Amino acid sequence: MKALIKPKEYFIKEIFEKEKEELFSEIWNFVGFTSDFAEVNDFVVYDACGISVVIQNLKGKIRAFKNVCSHRHSLIQTAEKGNRPLMCPYHGWAYNDRGIPFGIPKKPFFNFSKEDLECLKLEEYSVDICGSLVFLKIKQDETSLQDYLGNFFDEIEKMSNNFGKRVDLNEIEIECNWKIVVENTLESYHVALIHSETFQKLGADGLDFSFSKNHSMWNAEVLMKENEGKQAKVHKPFQERNYIIEGYKHLLVFPNILISSTYGISFNLSQIIPLSENKTLFKSFVFITKKEDESNGNGSVLEKVYEESLVDFNRKVFDEDKAICQEVQRGVKFSSYDGELSEEEERVLYFQQMYKKYLK
Ligand code: FES
Ligand SMILES: [Fe+2]
């Protein structure tokens, strides 16, 4: 089967600009975890297709606004994340939970009526939640997050609600187009050569793929059962948990979020953030499961050993992927062919089909 995304679509600047307009501004984008917005005034600033957006807990509700002051255009929140009222740092205009200026220093100088202030409301965007994940949509349409995630909504909700202690946040810059990184994660054909000393050892196998809306999932069998051999010991602290799967599960939340789990004991959420047509930020969060009783064995030596090996394993795998993705970026500029996809690369094909639906 021929690939649908042509080589030049991995390095041309105009395509990258089109993706912002026609893809990323249309879909639900993951912007953070509910824990990032736990307290009133907790905020995250997200670059949504070149627009700075502030997502903030205002009076207990998470809302999203264009992060630009209506007075004279300063950014309102200037840090990447933090806790601070929605107030412009330049002349001090403060905004209420609807994004309307309500605290204006030396207000009588302006002579604003109530209607004038309403007209200065910050542009608002949609925010919605699935489990512990917070999503943002720039386009004002009727597609709810639930519609967007389709049949995978429940699975994503369940998985993310079981993200317990975060044991790693790994951020790496990769010199390649974001689609090369996504596609790399969607097939296991490369595992034997690229991850021979790491992921290959898990022995994830099979073609149990499923698809819903734009997204895809792989349920893989693994070589070793959860409590086989020496695994029995390190997995012992996690036996009392709510989310249990047989082997390995890997989901793509289209177009650039990956969620995976092994046995329901460890979880990974990776965000593949396009920086330019040939540069990508790979942000990877590793969690261990929430345990029924968090006091039970928490911080035990056994658990520490498990956490360290988990972090080490993930980092090695991603470094291996980084290296090969950069080689693909170097090659794609000179390729004479469209690319070929096998049955094992079915999720890559599906990703490309969905991508083409958005890019006109
Ligand atoms: S630019 Fe924001 S208060 Fe003046
Ligand atoms: Fe890989």
Side-chain angles (χ1 to χ4, degrees):
M1 181 87 200
K2 297 278 175 227
L4 302 174
I5 297 182
K6 301 290 174 262
K8 67 168 196 221
E9 295 175 73
Y10 295 99
F11 61 85
I12 288 196
K13 189 161 175 43
E14 290 76 67
I15 304 272
F16 177 74
E17 295 301 325
K18 253 166 88 86
E19 287 170 349
K20 287 191 205 170
E21 282 284 305
E22 294 173 13
L23 174 62
F24 287 100
S25 65
E26 299 267 320
I27 51 131
W28 283 98
N29 294 272
F30 167 75
V31 290
F33 300 95
T34 46
S35 56
D36 294 322
F37 306 96
E39 305 293 328
V40 168
N41 285 332
D42 277 354
F43 71 87
V44 168
V45 170
Y46 182 77
D47 178 344
C49 324
I51 310 169
S52 178
V53 176
V54 52
I55 304 103
Q56 182 154 344
N57 176 335
L58 294 165
K59 292 191 178 162
K61 198 165 181 303
I62 307 174
R63 293 178 173 275
F65 298 103
K66 188 182 276 184
N67 187 27
V68 178
C69 182
S70 311
H71 175 223
R72 273 176 40 225
H73 332 300
S74 170
L75 291 187
I76 300 170
Q77 299 293 16
T78 53
E80 246 176 68
K81 61 187 290 185
N83 181 285
R84 191 180 162 274
L86 194 57
M87 190 189 88
C88 179
Y90 197 178
H91 312 93
W93 281 29
Y95 295 84
N96 69 13
D97 58 327
R98 292 178 51 219
I100 295 170
F102 79 98
I104 298 184
K106 303 188 182 173
K107 199 168 176 186
F109 286 179
F110 283 100
N111 243 322
F112 284 139
S113 68
K114 196 163 167 273
E115 290 69 40
D116 292 337
L117 290 173
E118 297 259 346
C119 289
L120 293 170
K121 177 181 165 26
L122 301 173
E123 192 170 337
E124 187 163 7
Y125 306 109
S126 309
V127 176
D128 208 348
I129 293 172
C130 175
S132 68
L133 313 181
V134 181
F135 289 81
L136 162 79
K137 181 159 55 78
I138 297 299
K139 189 182 183 189
Q140 300 299 320
D141 68 5
E142 295 303 301
T143 320
S144 69
L145 180 61
Q146 182 132 23
D147 290 341
Y148 182 72
L149 296 176
N151 293 342
F152 294 151
F153 185 93
D154 292 351
E155 191 66 46
I156 296 166
E157 185 178 44
K158 236 188 301 168
M159 284 175 98
S160 65
N161 276 336
N162 282 284
F163 291 175
K165 180 180 174 191
R166 190 177 97 190
V167 294
D168 198 20
L169 165 56
N170 181 18
E171 296 191 56
I172 45 179
E173 261 188 34
I174 309 181
E175 302 286 331
C176 77
N177 185 273
W178 68 277
K179 299 189 290 300
I180 290 176
V181 186
V182 172
E183 292 178 350
N184 167 70
T185 71
L186 293 179
E187 47 90 354
S188 55
Y189 188 32
H190 72 276
V191 171
L193 277 184
I194 300 299
H195 306 300
S196 58
E197 292 305 312
T198 52
F199 196 75
Q200 172 80 345
K201 298 248 187 305
L202 181 66
D205 201 12
L207 300 178
D208 182 358
F209 303 137
S210 42
F211 303 90
S212 180
K213 298 285 169 83
N214 299 334
H215 323 286
S216 68
M217 179 159 75
W218 178 38
N219 281 305
E221 290 165 20
V222 297
L223 217 49
M224 262 212 281
K225 297 274 164 283
E226 181 187 329
N227 291 320
E228 252 173 42
K230 59 178 187 214
Q231 298 216 109
K233 202 170 161 197
V234 286
H235 288 162
K236 207 162 171 236
F238 310 105
Q239 295 308 300
E240 302 285 311
R241 62 186 196 276
N242 284 319
Y243 184 78
I244 298 175
I245 54 172
E246 275 278 309
Y248 176 76
K249 188 191 286 289
H250 183 278
L251 261 144
L252 168 71
V253 180
F254 182 84
N256 63 337
I257 304 298
L258 306 150
I259 307 173
S260 65
S261 179
T262 310
Y263 311 119
I265 295 180
S266 67
F267 295 92
N268 182 275
L269 184 143
S270 299
Q271 220 179 340
I272 295 166
I273 303 168
L275 297 179
S276 74
E277 63 280 15
N278 48 30
K279 197 180 267 187
T280 298
L281 176 64
F282 184 85
K283 219 170 156 179
S284 158
F285 301 84
V286 181
F287 302 93
I288 49 173
T289 180
K290 244 182 215 166
K291 290 178 294 181
E292 288 256 286
D293 177 6
E294 282 293 340
S295 63
N296 179 16
N298 193 14
S300 69
V301 177
L302 213 52
E303 225 174 294
K304 285 256 149 46
V305 170
Y306 175 75
E307 285 173 20
E308 276 167 24
S309 70
L310 182 65
V311 171
D312 185 53
F313 176 86
N314 273 280
R315 288 195 169 224
K316 275 191 187 135
V317 170
F318 293 135
D319 283 345
E320 290 161 353
D321 282 324
K322 170 182 169 161
I324 194 64
C325 285
Q326 295 188 155
E327 299 307 331
V328 176
Q329 187 71 25
R330 280 156 52 131
V332 85
K333 295 202 176 100
F334 311 109
S335 186
S336 317
Y337 297 103
D338 285 349
E340 298 289 335
L341 296 170
S342 71
E343 212 180 320
E344 209 177 354
E345 294 157 291
E346 192 186 349
R347 292 174 75 208
V348 176
L349 178 66
Y350 193 79
F351 167 76
Q352 298 197 347
Q353 284 165 341
M354 296 306 110
Y355 174 87
K356 287 285 164 181
K357 220 175 62 179
Y358 285 89
L359 268 92
K360 292 157 197 120

